Amino acid sequence: VPHGRANAMVLPHVLRFNLSAREPRLARLARMLGLADLRANDAAAADALIQRVGALLAALPLQLSASMLRSNDYPAIARKALDEAHGMYPVPRYM
């Protein structure tokens, strides 16, 4: 799976996973983009942003499934992901 497409495939899921750590920031982005009313609470505004990202991805001509992957590919993918899960990697939350 090309890197950019892989990022597109997981982006809404990663945003949702990081919501508890970045809700105010996602809400601010939603308001700046006009996706949420300035009076909307942070939870509603952040959700509007995540919903819009999902809608945008659905509207693009991208294959958002990984049908080419086989079940025996997943252990290697998981090992590579865990190799990047260290304290120096700048992410809002570690899985």
Side-chain angles (χ1 to χ4, degrees), residues 1 3 12 15 19 21 26 28 30 32 41-42 45 48-49 54-55 57 60 64-67 69 71-72 76 84 92:
V1 177
H3 181 74
L15 290 173
L19 188 57
L26 294 175
R28 188 171 66 243
M32 290 171 64
N41 66 43
D42 283 356
L49 176 71
L57 290 171
L60 295 173
L64 295 176
S65 67
S67 58
L69 293 176
S71 61
N72 62 341
E84 293 189 21

Side-chain angles (χ1 to χ4, degrees), residues 11 15 24-38 45-54 56:
L11 181 58
L15 290 173
R25 187 173 188 172
L26 294 175
R28 188 171 66 243
L29 287 171
R31 292 182 189 105
M32 290 171 64
L33 293 169
L35 301 175
D37 187 272
L38 295 176
D47 186 63
L49 176 71
I50 295 170
Q51 293 295 326
R52 180 64 177 114
V53 167
L56 175 60

